[in-house]
Amino acid sequence: MDELDGNPSESQSPAADPEDPQKCPPVVTDIGALNCSSLNVESFIEQSIAIIMEDVVKKATDVTEKVCEWRSPEQLKELLDLELTDGGESESKILQHCRDAIRYSIKTSNHTTYLLNQTVKSCYHDNIVCVVSIRYTYEVAPVFTLIEDAVLRKMMEMIGWEEGGDGIFNAGGSMSNMYAVNLARYHHYPHIKELGLSAAPRLVIFTSRECHYSISKAAALLGVGTKNVYVVPSDNRGKMISSALEEQIKTAKSEGAVPFMVNATAGTTVLGAFDPIEEIADICEKYNLWLHVDACWGGAALMSQKHKHLLKGIHRANSVAWNPHKMLMACLQCSAFLVRDKTHLLQRCHSAQASYLFQQDKFYDVSYDTGDKSVQCSRKPDAFKFWLMWKALGTRELEQRVDRALAMARYLAQEVEKREGFRLLMDPEYANVCFWYIPPSLRNLSDGPEFWKKLHTVAPVIKERMMKKGSMMVGYQPHGDKANFFRMIIISPQVSKQDMDFVLDEIHNLGKDL
Amino acid sequence: MDELDGNPSESQSPAADPEDPQKCPPVVTDIGALNCSSLNVESFIEQSIAIIMEDVVKKATDVTEKVCEWRSPEQLKELLDLELTDGGESESKILQHCRDAIRYSIKTSNHTTYLLNQTVKSCYHDNIVCVVSIRYTYEVAPVFTLIEDAVLRKMMEMIGWEEGGDGIFNAGGSMSNMYAVNLARYHHYPHIKELGLSAAPRLVIFTSRECHYSISKAAALLGVGTKNVYVVPSDNRGKMISSALEEQIKTAKSEGAVPFMVNATAGTTVLGAFDPIEEIADICEKYNLWLHVDACWGGAALMSQKHKHLLKGIHRANSVAWNPHKMLMACLQCSAFLVRDKTHLLQRCHSAQASYLFQQDKFYDVSYDTGDKSVQCSRKPDAFKFWLMWKALGTRELEQRVDRALAMARYLAQEVEKREGFRLLMDPEYANVCFWYIPPSLRNLSDGPEFWKKLHTVAPVIKERMMKKGSMMVGYQPHGDKANFFRMIIISPQVSKQDMDFVLDEIHNLGKDL
């Protein structure tokens, strides 16, 4: 917990450089000073908007402009510099990627392009200038198809799937987890796709008490049934108890039910806990169960040499959900579902083979028409923003973001422990810092039911006051048998120690009279 | 078909006004001259970007800025002018709506806001400046929650649900159709949510041969099974034959299966056909089946006094899917799922009641926390762009867009019929114009298998040539026993008769040597 110490000047540095308010001060940790992006946000926005105005908006009604500059997948791969590397690229290079993306994309706003389908257009009323492209076939989204592929492959590399796999970006982590349930089911019982579950045995999913609620929602939606999600106890740090998992599997089998999938959570929503993936993978292998890792929140730790041990064993998973729109701060929505399978399971599981989209007599390699892997039809090109961000920052700076956020979380936890009237639920191992604020009036009460009953009412009042004052937003919730507590999650590379101090000061100021 | 005639000057007018290239000429029809938006796109983009830079980006690191200006739902409804009316509003009013939306939204980019959760942030790397707000609770998305409600209610009014209903925006029409299947199932058999389908009888969905493939994908994903989607024959115009529907229902019952839902399509993907909703509704009432109308594509006709007859009876549907991102040209994704039910069926069907999101001890009316209606967790505020667009244009101009697009489709069909070497599949009743191009070398062949076999190869070659030339993009596909044909779909209010003529000329030029 001492990695943030020893640099008094840093802790007194201003929150932002007055010369460049976008730039935040470095945080000194045991692994060195961690900077955040040096990109000038305003300048970048101005220049990229200028490109969009010039290359998209002004050309929108110019019928002499080509609808597309057709390149085959092989040619386009050479033209676009797709590779994601350790170092970030210069602003001018990033702007050139924007120009290239526009140049080789379908000009969705040109007159004649509208004639393709009802699906492509530029828009201005939503306060956003965007090139919208639809990702079901290569021909309508050549650039974004290749970029999605490049990003997914890089993410698989981080997971440790040396032989690659498959994947897709979709509309959020809940959907990724649903995909996992469907794939696991299809892998074990492919006939259910056609025949439905009414002819099938009772299938059972295992997940921890601390998992995200989308596992339960998926079980409901997919016809598995929420009661067939067997809830495995977690330890007092929120990690699944693997011996209890094995017990549950045996119980299900003894009931005549059919276990088919285990969901391990890497980064639980409330406590930020990581299930023991290696132990769970051993059990999955023993019982031939699909192992899905919901790393929507915790996947970011894979970027960090210091913290990736939290997900040790993730390379053994059959599928992984990972949301770059969380700690890696890609803009919502940006959610990847990754599968280790290399036998087109994703395609086979979800395909409907609509003949009006996936014609087989096209003039290019139709294996690039990836749309039938999705249960959606049109999709937004979510991979592009993550790719561009990765290009700009490089793997190294993404790593620093993670390291910095986690160092800041530990600093906050340390402060909570130090301060009178604050109590930590537990030492954080990730970015979730959970704590109670105990107003002076309760500090002399003994730690019994009366104390907890009164404490339970404190956080909601402080929350109401901070919202009405507008000073900050920190969430609270009850959890299991725990009374309402604050849960602060640190992801921003811009927050400083002063911000952390401010949060605790402000909670005290808002609640000291309670 | 003569509504576009009688105005020779219009048909010779330039495609765009040189003074204002964004402005397109009016199309004169039998119901008057149809204009498209007079909004100056470039100016609007520049001004709205300036607001975003000022109110979002530059304030992002100013810790003296409030995180939110809290208003209760009742107060905020009064502050925001939510109502959607017949007339469009001025540019200055639209820009004020943008300012208000920012003002009363959570300042997702402020330092301290990051502390709420891992979910809110502003972003710049995705080439888009956007205020991202998450829509699961009122407190994190007060403006967008109320706007979504206002838009859904207006859409229900257009459908004819005088007593209102419920609804949600989600990630595309495929998801809306999945919601329909899940709701229909939950309505009839609520215990399946908990127990799963393995304990249930074989459930059957009915839909036409021409329906969107997402019905089949939904059946697969939801564990109903694709073979339990009974395909009802369509007539030669692509409309479901309602007597055949009744036969299929009887067949399913005689097999011991349990019919629970009929999907009627309003605007099929390929032919643009509308199933006879009134007749289907009668049958659904007789057999107590959930009636879902997939109006993703055809729903836009509800805006038009002239064309809304195509969806006659839609007010009798239990649920409707309608994508404003199609003909109404809201930016992708913008997809609404609407339910006539007023007993919180949507919430009960999808809820998981996560205690860390949906705390019941909040200081405002938690019925505004609509997130648990969704199977997603975070959602993009898709309703906002449609609302802002509707504000700018007014209902009347949205209607004109639809009327104009459909008039243009009829003009194109007329031209196809007139020209040598073109053959129409059928008179369009919506915006889908399907036709073959017959190169001179095939024009003297008799109409037999040899002719169709050769014709089948023509469209793919022309498509390849147009892509490589970059002159336009018109899709083709086979359909049932029909050889490859072109399918042009007209939605843009900017296309002109000259554009239609260009498409046919270009197809001829690209294919005349074949």
Side-chain angles (χ1 to χ4, degrees):
Chain A
M1 292 291 279
D2 63 352
E3 65 193 68
L4 288 158
D5 293 343
N7 186 5
S9 67
E10 188 277 317
S11 69
Q12 269 136 58
S13 68
D17 179 346
E19 290 293 304
D20 179 1
Q22 303 295 340
K23 191 162 180 177
C24 56
V27 169
V28 177
T29 75
D30 53 355
I31 53 170
L34 301 176
N35 287 292
C36 66
S37 172
S38 57
L39 192 83
N40 182 317
V41 179
E42 284 176 44
S43 148
F44 179 78
I45 292 173
E46 272 159 18
Q47 290 180 81
S48 56
I49 292 291
I51 291 171
I52 292 170
M53 288 296 270
E54 197 56 45
D55 292 356
V56 181
V57 179
K58 290 190 182 170
K59 290 180 179 172
T61 50
D62 181 351
V63 291
T64 66
E65 283 291 323
K66 281 180 158 192
V67 170
C68 62
E69 279 200 36
W70 172 261
R71 296 291 185 278
S72 70
E74 296 69 29
Q75 291 171 321
L76 193 53
K77 274 184 202 170
E78 282 189 26
L79 288 166
L80 303 170
D81 169 23
L82 292 168
E83 204 188 353
L84 298 165
T85 56
D86 285 353
E89 293 183 359
S90 66
E91 188 179 83
S92 66
K93 274 197 170 177
I94 298 300
L95 292 168
Q96 187 56 45
H97 291 311
C98 296
R99 276 187 213 98
D100 289 343
I102 293 168
R103 176 169 178 190
Y104 297 110
S105 287
I106 305 306
K107 301 302 173 298
T108 55
S109 41
N110 283 24
H111 266 191
T112 42
T113 311
Y114 282 109
L115 305 174
L116 167 66
N117 257 326
Q118 72 273 43
T119 43
V120 280
K121 58 225 161 236
S122 74
C123 48
Y124 42 88
H125 278 117
D126 60 348
N127 221 9
I128 292 169
V129 189
C130 56
V131 183
V132 178
S133 200
I134 314 308
R135 291 246 28 260
Y136 45 73
T137 64
Y138 177 80
E139 70 194 284
V140 292
V143 175
F144 298 139
T145 297
L146 297 183
I147 282 176
E148 178 170 61
D149 183 60
V151 175
L152 289 170
R153 276 189 291 110
K154 189 72 181 179
M155 292 174 85
M156 288 186 246
E157 188 188 312
M158 310 302 289
I159 288 170
W161 290 344
E162 286 168 12
E163 293 174 17
D166 199 357
I168 195 161
F169 276 81
N170 61 48
S174 294
M175 287 207 45
S176 292
N177 288 336
M178 282 173 206
Y179 274 35
V181 177
N182 202 33
L183 249 71
R185 181 169 72 183
Y186 184 77
H187 170 70
H188 283 290
Y189 305 100
H191 66 279
I192 290 175
K193 180 178 177 181
E194 284 190 354
L195 299 180
L197 273 166
S198 63
R202 183 162 68 87
L203 301 177
V204 175
I205 300 168
F206 303 84
T207 189
S208 87
R209 195 175 58 197
E210 304 278 329
C211 79
H212 191 255
Y213 69 70
S214 55
I215 302 297
S216 175
K217 287 205 176 197
L221 185 72
L222 272 65
V224 169
T226 55
K227 286 202 171 162
N228 296 317
V229 178
Y230 281 29
V231 177
V232 181
S234 304
D235 66 18
N236 59 8
R237 294 194 51 84
K239 293 168 180 287
M240 187 192 281
I241 301 169
S242 53
S243 58
L245 168 64
E246 188 159 9
E247 285 309 310
Q248 295 266 25
I249 293 168
K250 287 179 185 165
T251 302
K253 282 173 166 277
S254 72
E255 293 164 355
V258 179
F260 74 108
M261 169 182 171
V262 177
N263 172 65
T265 310
T268 62
T269 312
V270 176
L271 302 175
F274 288 74
D275 288 344
I277 301 175
E278 290 277 23
E279 293 170 23
I280 295 169
D282 288 342
I283 294 168
C284 287
E285 274 172 22
K286 180 171 171 189
Y287 293 94
N288 187 30
L289 305 179
W290 182 279
L291 172 56
H292 173 65
V293 177
D294 173 359
C296 285
W297 170 221
L302 291 169
M303 308 301 283
S304 163
Q305 293 304 314
K306 182 177 166 72
H307 298 287
K308 69 180 184 185
H309 68 90
L310 292 167
L311 298 107
K312 191 160 179 290
I314 193 170
H315 63 285
R316 298 172 67 190
N318 298 96
S319 59
V320 172
W322 177 2
N323 288 1
H325 71 220
K326 293 186 186 282
M327 191 183 277
L328 296 179
M329 299 187 63
C331 189
L332 189 98
Q333 60 195 37
C334 190
S335 178
F337 175 67
L338 303 133
V339 200
R340 200 176 64 202
D341 166 87
K342 290 172 69 70
T343 68
H344 305 290
L345 193 69
L346 192 55
Q347 172 93 16
R348 287 184 285 125
C349 178
H350 289 144
S351 68
Q353 295 167 326
S355 60
Y356 66 92
L357 291 178
F358 306 110
Q359 305 92 318
Q360 297 303 304
D361 50 7
K362 288 181 184 171
F363 62 97
Y364 60 88
D365 178 356
V366 294
S367 71
Y368 286 95
D369 288 355
T370 54
D372 224 11
K373 291 180 184 177
S374 171
V375 298
Q376 299 179 266
C377 183
S378 306
R379 286 185 297 136
K380 291 180 74 88
D382 296 322
F384 177 66
K385 49 197 172 189
F386 187 40
W387 177 82
L388 196 65
M389 173 182 167
W390 202 326
K391 275 283 192 192
L393 300 176
T395 313
R396 200 80 73 220
E397 193 160 318
L398 288 174
E399 175 176 22
Q400 289 215 354
R401 284 188 168 197
V402 175
D403 288 343
R404 187 177 158 118
L406 295 184
M408 206 55 80
R410 287 191 300 282
Y411 171 78
L412 177 68
Q414 213 172 6
E415 281 300 302
V416 164
E417 283 199 310
K418 271 188 204 161
R419 292 193 185 204
E420 203 191 340
F422 287 86
R423 192 191 293 189
L424 208 55
L425 257 80
M426 64 179 63
D427 256 354
E429 66 180 351
Y430 200 51
N432 309 42
V433 183
C434 299
F435 62 91
W436 290 280
Y437 170 69
I438 305 160
S441 71
L442 301 183
R443 288 181 198 165
N444 294 324
L445 275 184
S446 63
D447 195 341
E450 183 66 15
F451 169 79
W452 289 108
K453 195 179 157 196
K454 285 190 170 164
L455 191 62
H456 188 64
T457 66
V458 168
V461 177
I462 294 175
K463 176 66 183 276
E464 176 174 358
R465 290 176 178 178
M466 76 172 73
M467 291 291 288
K468 290 185 173 169
K469 187 177 171 193
S471 55
M472 62 183 187
M473 280 180 73
V474 181
Y476 76 87
Q477 71 271 292
H479 189 62
D481 58 356
K482 302 270 195 298
N484 277 325
F485 55 87
F486 290 108
R487 173 173 58 117
M488 209 152 85
I489 296 199
I490 294 111
I491 57 164
S492 171
Q494 295 185 311
V495 292
S496 64
K497 289 182 184 176
Q498 290 95 315
D499 292 324
M500 302 292 108
D501 294 341
F502 170 78
V503 167
L504 298 181
D505 293 345
E506 182 71 1
I507 287 176
H508 174 67
N509 287 332
L510 292 168
K512 64 189 173 196
D513 64 326
L514 292 174
Chain B
M1 292 292 278
D2 61 353
E3 65 193 68
L4 287 159
D5 294 342
N7 186 5
S9 67
E10 189 276 316
S11 68
Q12 270 137 55
S13 69
D17 179 348
E19 290 293 306
D20 179 1
Q22 303 295 339
K23 192 162 180 176
C24 55
V27 169
V28 177
T29 74
D30 54 353
I31 53 169
L34 301 177
N35 288 292
C36 68
S37 172
S38 57
L39 193 82
N40 182 317
V41 179
E42 284 176 43
S43 149
F44 178 79
I45 291 172
E46 273 159 18
Q47 291 180 80
S48 56
I49 293 291
I51 291 171
I52 292 170
M53 288 296 270
E54 197 56 45
D55 292 356
V56 182
V57 180
K58 291 190 182 170
K59 290 180 179 172
T61 50
D62 182 350
V63 291
T64 66
E65 284 291 323
K66 282 180 157 192
V67 169
C68 61
E69 280 201 35
W70 172 260
R71 296 290 185 277
S72 70
E74 297 69 30
Q75 291 170 321
L76 194 53
K77 275 185 201 169
E78 283 189 26
L79 288 166
L80 303 171
D81 170 21
L82 293 167
E83 204 188 353
L84 298 166
T85 56
D86 287 352
E89 293 183 2
S90 66
E91 187 178 86
S92 66
K93 275 196 169 176
I94 297 301
L95 291 167
Q96 188 55 46
H97 291 311
C98 296
R99 276 186 212 98
D100 289 343
I102 294 168
R103 177 169 178 190
Y104 297 110
S105 287
I106 305 308
K107 299 304 171 297
T108 53
S109 40
N110 283 24
H111 265 189
T112 42
T113 312
Y114 282 109
L115 306 173
L116 167 67
N117 257 326
Q118 73 273 44
T119 44
V120 279
K121 58 226 163 236
S122 74
C123 48
Y124 43 87
H125 279 117
D126 61 348
N127 220 8
I128 292 170
V129 190
C130 57
V131 182
V132 178
S133 201
I134 312 308
R135 291 247 26 261
Y136 47 71
T137 64
Y138 177 81
E139 71 194 284
V140 292
V143 175
F144 298 139
T145 297
L146 297 183
I147 282 176
E148 178 170 62
D149 184 60
V151 175
L152 289 170
R153 276 190 290 108
K154 190 72 181 178
M155 292 175 85
M156 289 187 245
E157 189 187 311
M158 310 302 289
I159 289 170
W161 290 344
E162 287 168 12
E163 293 175 18
D166 200 356
I168 196 161
F169 276 80
N170 61 48
S174 294
M175 287 207 46
S176 292
N177 288 336
M178 280 173 207
Y179 274 37
V181 177
N182 202 32
L183 250 72
R185 180 168 74 182
Y186 184 78
H187 169 70
H188 283 291
Y189 304 100
H191 66 278
I192 290 175
K193 179 178 178 182
E194 285 191 354
L195 300 181
L197 273 166
S198 63
R202 182 163 68 88
L203 301 177
V204 175
I205 301 169
F206 303 84
T207 188
S208 86
R209 195 175 59 198
E210 303 279 328
C211 79
H212 191 255
Y213 69 69
S214 56
I215 301 299
S216 174
K217 287 205 176 195
L221 185 72
L222 272 65
V224 169
T226 55
K227 285 201 172 163
N228 296 318
V229 178
Y230 280 30
V231 177
V232 181
S234 303
D235 65 17
N236 59 8
R237 293 192 54 83
K239 293 167 180 288
M240 186 192 282
I241 300 169
S242 54
S243 59
L245 168 64
E246 188 158 8
E247 285 310 309
Q248 295 264 28
I249 294 169
K250 286 179 186 166
T251 303
K253 281 172 167 279
S254 72
E255 292 164 356
V258 178
F260 75 107
M261 170 183 172
V262 177
N263 172 65
T265 310
T268 61
T269 311
V270 176
L271 302 175
F274 288 75
D275 288 343
I277 301 175
E278 289 279 21
E279 292 170 24
I280 295 169
D282 288 342
I283 294 168
C284 286
E285 275 173 21
K286 182 172 170 186
Y287 292 94
N288 188 30
L289 305 180
W290 182 279
L291 173 57
H292 173 65
V293 177
D294 173 359
C296 285
W297 169 221
L302 290 168
M303 308 300 282
S304 162
Q305 294 304 313
K306 183 177 166 70
H307 297 287
K308 69 180 185 186
H309 68 89
L310 291 167
L311 298 108
K312 192 159 178 290
I314 193 170
H315 63 285
R316 297 171 67 187
N318 297 96
S319 59
V320 172
W322 177 1
N323 288 4
H325 71 222
K326 293 187 185 280
M327 191 183 278
L328 296 179
M329 298 187 65
C331 190
L332 190 96
Q333 61 195 39
C334 188
S335 177
F337 175 66
L338 303 134
V339 201
R340 201 175 64 203
D341 166 87
K342 289 173 68 72
T343 67
H344 306 289
L345 193 70
L346 192 54
Q347 172 93 17
R348 287 184 284 126
C349 177
H350 290 143
S351 68
Q353 295 167 329
S355 61
Y356 65 91
L357 290 178
F358 306 110
Q359 305 92 318
Q360 297 304 304
D361 50 6
K362 287 182 184 172
F363 61 97
Y364 60 87
D365 178 357
V366 293
S367 71
Y368 286 95
D369 289 355
T370 54
D372 224 12
K373 292 180 184 179
S374 172
V375 296
Q376 297 178 268
C377 183
S378 306
R379 285 186 298 136
K380 290 180 74 86
D382 296 321
F384 178 66
K385 48 195 172 190
F386 186 40
W387 177 83
L388 196 65
M389 173 181 167
W390 200 327
K391 275 283 192 192
L393 301 176
T395 311
R396 200 79 73 220
E397 193 160 317
L398 288 174
E399 176 176 22
Q400 290 215 352
R401 286 188 168 198
V402 175
D403 289 344
R404 185 176 160 119
L406 295 184
M408 206 56 81
R410 288 191 300 282
Y411 170 77
L412 177 67
Q414 211 172 8
E415 282 298 303
V416 165
E417 283 200 308
K418 270 188 206 163
R419 294 192 184 204
E420 203 190 338
F422 287 87
R423 193 192 291 189
L424 207 55
L425 258 79
M426 64 179 63
D427 255 354
E429 66 179 352
Y430 200 51
N432 309 42
V433 182
C434 300
F435 62 92
W436 291 281
Y437 170 69
I438 305 160
S441 71
L442 301 182
R443 287 181 199 165
N444 293 323
L445 275 183
S446 62
D447 195 339
E450 182 66 14
F451 169 79
W452 290 109
K453 196 179 158 198
K454 286 190 169 164
L455 190 62
H456 188 65
T457 66
V458 168
V461 177
I462 294 175
K463 176 67 183 276
E464 176 174 358
R465 290 177 178 179
M466 76 172 73
M467 292 290 287
K468 290 184 171 168
K469 185 176 172 193
S471 55
M472 62 182 189
M473 281 181 73
V474 180
Y476 76 87
Q477 70 271 292
H479 188 61
D481 58 357
K482 302 270 196 296
N484 277 325
F485 55 87
F486 289 109
R487 173 173 58 118
M488 211 152 86
I489 296 198
I490 294 111
I491 55 163
S492 170
Q494 294 185 309
V495 292
S496 65
K497 289 181 184 176
Q498 290 95 315
D499 292 324
M500 301 294 108
D501 294 341
F502 170 78
V503 168
L504 299 182
D505 292 345
E506 183 71 0
I507 287 176
H508 174 68
N509 287 332
L510 292 167
K512 64 189 173 195
D513 64 326
L514 293 174

